Amino acid sequence: MNPRQVADYMLNQDYFSQWMNIKMIEVKENYCLIEMPIKKEMINGLKTVHGGVTFAFADSALAFSSNNSGEAAVALNCIINFTKAGKEGDVFRAESILVNETRKTAVYDIKITNQNEELVAKFIGTVYKIGKQVTEL
């Protein structure tokens, strides 16, 4: 399978990403660009996007980019910095780019922006390659 097919295969089984209404915009090996509309159920008590939603969105970008070669990888460590509050009606985009790769790990830089291309969050994710193919799981 090519990277887009692997990412689509994963999304088809990822009910949480489906609930978030994530759409694949672009997929290349070790890269993805995804989009998500912010809906009412994603808003916290301060009327902004819940941090867990933003983190989960970045985590999905990490998953789709780090697994799309077909080699399965799982999150080992993730760090997020929130830079701008999101609101209901926003459209978030997450771009995940491979920064460094070894035989067993890889580091990805993920930038989340809104529909005005303003930085909402910066996420760094490290994954561990488990030695299996995505389709074996």
Side-chain angles (χ1 to χ4, degrees), residues 84-95:
K84 183 173 181 59
K87 303 278 188 193
E88 183 179 353
D90 281 351
V91 177
F92 282 6
R93 277 192 164 203
E95 182 179 41

Side-chain angles (χ1 to χ4, degrees), residues 52-87:
V53 170
T54 305
F55 187 99
F57 181 52
D59 187 50
S60 288
L62 177 64
F64 298 134
S65 59
S66 66
N67 285 281
N68 72 29
S69 68
E71 185 179 4
V74 295
L76 188 60
N77 184 51
C78 300
I79 300 167
I80 192 166
N81 286 291
F82 302 100
T83 56
K84 183 173 181 59
K87 303 278 188 193

Side-chain angles (χ1 to χ4, degrees), residues 6-136:
V6 174
D8 287 341
Y9 172 86
M10 290 177 63
L11 181 59
N12 189 51
Q13 302 177 104
D14 184 344
Y15 300 109
F16 188 72
S17 290
Q18 290 176 35
W19 174 82
M20 290 192 297
N21 202 24
I22 289 176
K23 303 286 183 245
M24 300 276 181
I25 305 301
E26 184 178 359
V27 178
K28 299 183 280 191
E29 189 165 341
N30 298 311
Y31 171 91
C32 79
L33 177 65
I34 60 176
E35 189 173 88
M36 172 184 76
I38 300 302
K39 49 189 177 181
K40 181 176 71 173
E41 296 85 2
M42 298 173 168
I43 302 301
N44 65 22
L46 299 177
K47 299 181 184 169
T48 61
V49 176
H50 192 288
V53 170
T54 305
F55 187 99
F57 181 52
D59 187 50
S60 288
L62 177 64
F64 298 134
S65 59
S66 66
N67 285 281
N68 72 29
S69 68
E71 185 179 4
V74 295
L76 188 60
N77 184 51
C78 300
I79 300 167
I80 192 166
N81 286 291
F82 302 100
T83 56
K84 183 173 181 59
K87 303 278 188 193
E88 183 179 353
D90 281 351
V91 177
F92 282 6
R93 277 192 164 203
E95 182 179 41
S96 180
I97 299 171
L98 177 66
V99 174
N100 187 61
E101 184 174 36
T102 69
R103 190 174 51 81
K104 292 302 281 180
T105 64
V107 178
Y108 287 81
D109 181 61
I110 298 159
K111 181 173 73 170
I112 300 175
T113 56
N114 65 17
Q115 68 279 0
N116 300 318
E117 298 184 11
E118 298 166 315
L119 186 66
V120 172
K122 186 72 185 270
F123 181 102
I124 305 291
T126 302
V127 296
Y128 177 76
K129 300 172 192 177
I130 64 172
K132 294 185 178 183
Q133 293 297 302
V134 169
T135 54
E136 291 180 83

